[in-house]
Amino acid sequence: MKLKLRIWRQKDANSKGKLVDYDVDVNSHMSFLEMLDELNEQLVEKGEEPVAFDHDCREGICGTCNLYINGRPHGPVRTTTCQLHMRHFNEGETIVIEPFRAKSFPIVKDLIIDRSSFDRIVQAGGYISVNTGSARDANETLIPKPIADEAFNSAACIACGACVAACKNASAMLFVGAQISKFALLPQGKAERKTRAEKMVAQMDAEGFGACSNIGACSAECPKEISMANIARMNREYFGAKLTSTNL
Amino acid sequence: MSWVAQTLNSTLGRKLVVALTGLFLCTFLIVHASGNTLLFRGDGGQAFNEYTKFMTHNPFIKTVSYLLYTSILVHVVYTAILTFYNQKARPVEYAYSKPSANSTWASRNMGFLGTILLIFIVIHMKTFWYEMHFGNVPIVSYEGQEYKDLYAVVKWAFSQWWYAVFYVISMVALSFHLVHGFRSGFQTLGANHPKYNPLLSKLSWAFGIIIPAVFASMPVVVFLQSL
Ligand code: HEM
Ligand code: SF4
Ligand code: FES
């Protein structure tokens, strides 16, 4: 299938970028990343600089392949870019490809962004300090199935950043809500429960992410279907912690 | 910074303030809308004028009204702060974006809708609140008691077509603001539960349509009567 690509090219963090047009002829069974691989091979053959884009697992679990495709994070289907296939596009279509845009996700080169702000939020409180023992000991802590499932749903977040990309405020609340929730729901997470909520929210604010306007674009675009209930839970955890924790 | 200041300066704390003031304004709207339906009594405005006298003299109502003015101010200031930082969080816009694929127009335009409401509130306060308190409102008497004839002011204001149209447009903005805002305020307070979510969504629609419709009916009816 013949396609016209309009891709954001930017030499480095400090340069000004612009959209550049490319024509490609690809197989509809290709994944979106394979399509870009094909384009890059052509560019290298012509002696041009290939398009820099991030990817790792190519099986929808690492969250690295963040591209803003035709006005939506990860494109028209609710999945990661590596799991998106060219059959979802039409013959002759123009596809606009941009990096995720947020002050807290600075562009490194072309379509590659720096998401270390997410890492710093996790470092601020996304851990537990109690010894949980070996695998065998895990069965000693009884957790009702519905709660385990709920925590697992939150833990499914792959830190891809689509929520930030989709949000008109570049808010990271769905991501942070999921991080706080997966610990708050489980007994192992109780030890640092209040401090965690306070520290992760403080770090999120320090990184410069926006606030939540509850528009729901994050959840609608999240490839792991993290729900808005995670944001409501984060609010409860945070306000509760602020009122009752001993951190002055 | 004290923990209170720290909380109120966090993104979550700011949203908490917006939600609390916004939902308080919602309860006020219920009282305001139901009280004003006295305009439709067909008694030449007696019930309405008696009601406005009560509302401007009862000490409890007066105290609540100061809380109300403060809430409007705080709501506006905090939403302005939020909007300012929210825009800073994405300094470079997307070249091509399709937000309608994942969110409603009202939810993305609360600042625009709120600005219309602010302009409306200022003009509304000038026409009625300022006139009632400091202007020259004609006096009527019922059973020997004197009342300010605010009913006459309402009739005069709404008999001008552009004033009635301005009211109706503002109420459309209020409707969009509330349909998103009502549900959003509860979500900010942490209310998100599978048992109550459907009810909250329905309430949000009902509230956001019924209240503005009641308000908008007043200029429409008074204008039609004035013809
Ligand atoms: C009768 C008047 C008003 C009522 C009942 C009202 C109600 C609400 C409610 C319930 C919310 C949701 C709070 C939340 O998301 O947690 C809200 C949000 C908002 N309001 Fe109002 N409001 C009123 C007037 C105004 C005015 C005059 C302005 C501004 C100039 C304004 C600007 C906003 C903005 C920008 C938001 C969204 C904040 C965000 O980003 O989350 N509102 N309002
Ligand atoms: S919440 Fe969803 S969209 Fe956001 S980072 Fe996690 S997986 Fe990605
Ligand atoms: S490359 Fe790992 S999720 Fe797409």
Side-chain angles (χ1 to χ4, degrees):
Chain A
M1 59 196 293
K2 286 196 168 59
L3 296 165
K4 188 181 214 69
L5 306 176
R6 308 201 69 197
I7 303 181
W8 187 261
R9 303 301 308 261
Q10 181 168 337
K11 198 158 154 276
D12 52 44
N14 302 316
S15 311
K16 236 176 101 74
K18 63 170 193 299
L19 288 169
V20 179
D21 288 355
Y22 300 95
D23 289 309
V24 287
D25 192 356
V26 298
N27 186 311
S28 66
H29 297 300
M30 283 179 174
S31 78
F32 203 85
L33 298 187
E34 285 166 343
M35 184 275 292
L36 288 177
D37 291 337
E38 179 101 355
L39 168 72
N40 277 346
E41 274 176 30
Q42 290 173 20
L43 290 179
V44 170
E45 272 172 28
K46 283 195 272 179
E48 288 179 34
E49 175 90 5
V51 178
F53 65 93
D54 236 348
H55 58 95
D56 188 8
C57 70
R58 296 209 178 197
E59 53 185 21
I61 54 171
C62 75
T64 318
C65 53
N66 31 53
L67 296 178
Y68 202 76
I69 303 161
N70 273 354
R72 297 174 68 183
H74 299 307
V77 184
R78 196 186 192 184
T79 183
T80 54
T81 305
C82 58
Q83 299 302 299
L84 174 67
H85 288 83
M86 298 317 293
R87 57 178 169 272
H88 294 291
F89 297 88
N90 301 318
E91 175 72 34
E93 193 174 339
T94 300
I95 306 178
V96 185
I97 311 170
E98 292 180 77
F100 285 2
R101 294 192 191 276
K103 183 175 138 219
S104 319
F105 287 166
I107 295 177
V108 178
K109 183 183 167 75
D110 292 341
L111 301 171
I112 299 184
I113 53 166
D114 174 1
R115 284 176 301 132
S116 56
S117 48
F118 268 15
D119 300 338
R120 288 186 292 275
I121 293 173
V122 170
Q123 282 158 13
Y127 54 80
I128 56 171
S129 60
V130 292
N131 188 350
T132 54
S134 55
R136 170 174 62 94
D137 301 317
N139 293 327
E140 310 244 305
T141 314
L142 299 179
I143 301 168
K145 178 85 165 84
I147 295 187
D149 285 349
E150 186 70 16
F152 190 78
N153 285 344
S154 301
C157 167
I158 53 175
C160 65
C163 42
V164 175
C167 177
K168 78 170 176 62
N169 306 335
S171 171
M173 297 226 184
L174 193 66
F175 167 73
V176 181
Q179 303 307 313
I180 290 177
S181 289
K182 73 183 180 198
F183 291 112
L185 286 161
L186 298 177
Q188 292 87 344
K190 295 284 189 279
E192 283 104 355
R193 185 172 176 182
K194 293 175 185 175
T195 306
R196 176 183 304 112
E198 290 182 317
K199 283 196 173 166
M200 288 184 101
V201 170
Q203 189 62 36
M204 168 182 84
D205 287 356
E207 297 292 345
F209 290 104
C212 179
S213 291
N214 300 325
I215 72 173
C218 51
S219 182
E221 297 289 7
C222 172
K224 298 298 157 184
E225 303 184 22
I226 303 287
S227 79
M228 294 291 285
N230 287 274
I231 298 182
R233 187 181 296 106
M234 168 179 65
N235 294 355
R236 296 197 298 273
E237 292 290 322
Y238 180 75
F239 299 140
K242 276 293 178 193
L243 282 174
T244 60
S245 82
T246 48
N247 305 319
L248 290 173
Chain B
M1 249 194 295
S2 81
W3 67 269
V4 179
Q6 213 181 57
T7 309
L8 294 183
N9 277 318
S10 67
T11 45
L12 262 58
R14 287 182 185 140
K15 276 297 311 216
L16 179 66
V17 172
V18 170
L20 289 175
T21 51
L23 290 176
F24 176 66
L25 291 177
C26 286
T27 60
F28 151 76
L29 289 181
I30 301 177
V31 178
H32 196 38
S34 34
N36 285 11
T37 53
L38 290 174
L39 282 171
F40 296 143
R41 263 294 185 77
D43 59 357
Q46 180 172 350
F48 182 74
N49 285 335
E50 284 168 355
Y51 162 74
T52 53
K53 183 167 187 175
F54 171 75
M55 293 306 265
T56 43
H57 288 81
N58 181 292
F60 173 72
I61 304 279
K62 274 169 89 171
T63 318
V64 176
S65 71
Y66 284 110
L67 192 61
L68 177 72
Y69 307 143
T70 318
S71 285
I72 296 177
L73 270 179
V74 171
H75 189 81
V76 171
V77 170
Y78 267 74
T79 50
I81 296 174
L82 276 171
T83 307
F84 173 76
Y85 284 108
N86 287 346
Q87 285 176 352
K88 280 213 338 192
R90 176 166 297 128
V92 181
E93 272 301 323
Y94 289 108
Y96 175 63
S97 197
K98 220 161 106 185
S100 59
N102 53 38
S103 52
T104 63
W105 181 85
S107 72
R108 296 191 306 272
N109 290 282
M110 292 296 274
F112 167 69
L113 295 165
T115 307
I116 297 181
L117 294 181
L118 185 62
I119 296 170
F120 168 80
I121 292 170
V122 170
I123 294 178
H124 176 69
M125 296 281 277
K126 166 71 185 74
T127 319
F128 300 119
W129 180 87
Y130 180 84
E131 287 300 320
M132 183 71 179
H133 288 262
F134 308 107
N136 286 320
V137 179
I139 303 290
V140 283
S141 47
Y142 310 118
E143 292 137 23
Q145 285 255 36
E146 289 202 332
Y147 293 86
K148 287 189 178 178
D149 194 3
L150 193 64
Y151 181 75
V153 181
V154 172
K155 271 178 62 172
W156 168 80
F158 289 168
S159 62
Q160 291 151 290
W161 69 268
W162 57 270
Y163 203 93
V165 167
F166 170 64
Y167 257 63
V168 173
I169 292 174
S170 303
M171 288 310 109
V172 172
L174 178 65
S175 176
F176 281 106
H177 199 81
L178 291 178
V179 167
H180 175 68
F182 190 86
R183 179 70 190 88
S184 173
F186 280 97
Q187 161 84 7
T188 301
L189 297 184
N192 188 316
H193 191 284
K195 213 174 248 176
Y196 302 105
N197 284 350
L199 176 70
L200 272 178
S201 297
K202 279 184 202 124
L203 265 183
S204 200
W205 277 100
F207 194 83
I209 291 173
I210 294 172
I211 296 277
V214 170
F215 277 127
S217 71
M218 295 166 193
V220 171
V221 170
V222 173
F223 176 74
L224 292 178
Q225 283 172 348
S226 76
L227 290 179

